Amino acid sequence: MLTRPRRSVLYMPASNDRAIEKARSLPVDAVALDLEDSIAPERKHEARAAAVAAIKAGGFGQREVIIRLNGTTTPWFNADLEAAVSAAPDVILVPKVERPHQVAQIGYLLKSQGAKQKTRLWIMVETPLAVLNVRDLAAGSSRFPDSRLSALVLGNNDILKITRGQDHPDRLPLMLALQSCLYAARSYDLAMLDGVYNNFRDLEGFRRECEQGRLLGMDGKTLIHPGQIPIANEVYGPSAAELEWA
């Protein structure tokens, strides 16, 4: 069962010290320090060290602290994982997970490297193969108890790119992925987080997408800009009627 809100999960480059310092005071539920998409290859080492330093320094309060690694097939994964284990974040987020054995493998590595028990695993579903395998990926939480798997995160940009789908306000090209991931997450008691909205200046469009995600049953939204936080928190938070009922 979910024990903390994940209405808003903000990605930020792990190498951006100013942004990370600001994140310590933002009204966001979770901060995801990114080593992957936002970091150029020549800066991976620098970003990795900065992420570890930021997590060890603390100051994030009740915010869930996440570190997103590079994928398991990249040359940076092993060093990323070792650094993340040493930092002991709340969550290690691994992108491009497509097959169930990867979930088991990551869990084994976390255990063998002595990861603290509090550190959970989230995986990104962002390829057609991952969508087709999402039931088995989610089942890893029960088939491989050591996997620590506790959430699925949609990678909508990569899915659209690979499938050659178009980015459309109704997200019809993504609907199979959205619902497949959601059903898999709910079947195995995992959190399910919606993907990012790219145009951070378009708050009306962002609100519409949040409302669609909430209607589908998502737990929250991954974000790329602090300006998106208030809307995500509002839409994914309990309504006045729900509070009154509770």
Side-chain angles (χ1 to χ4, degrees):
M1 297 294 293
L2 298 179
T3 57
R4 61 195 307 172
R6 282 144 184 168
R7 303 165 298 174
S8 50
V9 178
L10 179 64
Y11 289 120
M12 53 183 50
S15 57
N16 191 331
D17 293 336
R18 288 186 61 187
I20 293 172
E21 182 57 37
K22 183 179 180 180
R24 291 183 168 97
S25 61
L26 292 173
V28 69
D29 289 335
V31 176
L33 307 182
D34 185 35
L35 302 180
E36 193 209 13
D37 286 345
S38 63
I39 306 297
E42 64 273 14
R43 299 195 67 188
K44 297 288 188 185
H45 178 77
E46 172 191 341
R48 187 184 302 128
V52 172
I55 294 169
K56 288 187 174 181
F60 292 96
Q62 295 299 311
R63 298 164 191 85
E64 206 163 11
V65 180
I66 302 156
I67 181 168
R68 179 166 74 167
L69 315 186
N70 290 280
T72 61
T73 62
T74 69
W76 307 290
F77 174 74
N78 289 333
D80 284 353
L81 185 66
E82 183 178 351
V85 168
S86 74
D90 297 304
V91 174
I92 290 175
L93 173 59
V94 181
K96 304 296 191 300
V97 176
E98 294 183 313
R99 300 176 187 274
H101 79 266
Q102 291 175 279
V103 176
Q105 177 190 31
I106 297 165
Y108 170 79
L109 291 172
L110 289 172
K111 184 176 182 179
S112 64
Q113 293 184 23
K116 290 193 175 181
Q117 193 57 38
K118 74 162 189 170
T119 300
R120 300 288 93 190
L121 172 66
W122 294 4
I123 61 173
M124 295 197 69
V125 180
E126 50 187 340
T127 69
L129 183 58
V131 173
L132 293 176
N133 286 340
V134 70
R135 176 182 174 181
D136 292 331
L137 293 175
S141 62
S142 57
R143 290 177 57 200
F144 313 115
D146 288 337
S147 73
R148 306 172 184 233
L149 183 62
S150 63
L152 305 179
V153 181
L154 188 73
N156 45 298
N157 285 329
D158 284 283
I159 291 174
L160 283 176
K161 179 180 178 181
I162 298 169
T163 60
R164 304 173 199 163
Q166 296 185 19
D167 188 9
H168 193 272
D170 66 10
R171 294 205 290 179
L172 185 60
L174 282 169
M175 199 52 62
L176 173 64
L178 286 162
Q179 293 189 307
S180 295
C181 291
L182 183 65
Y183 293 168
R186 293 294 174 258
S187 296
Y188 293 96
D189 199 22
L190 304 178
M192 181 66 226
L193 296 169
D194 201 354
V196 299
Y197 188 81
N198 298 317
N199 186 356
F200 61 85
R201 293 185 175 88
D202 178 16
L203 295 181
E204 181 180 344
F206 176 70
R207 176 180 289 276
R208 182 173 58 247
E209 192 162 290
C210 285
E211 289 173 346
Q212 183 194 52
R214 176 71 189 270
L215 182 67
L216 289 170
M218 299 287 176
D219 294 305
K221 186 81 167 162
T222 48
L223 316 176
I224 60 170
H225 192 275
Q228 297 174 322
I229 296 171
I231 292 175
N233 285 348
E234 176 193 341
V235 173
Y236 283 100
S239 66
E242 287 171 327
L243 288 172
E244 183 178 354
W245 179 88

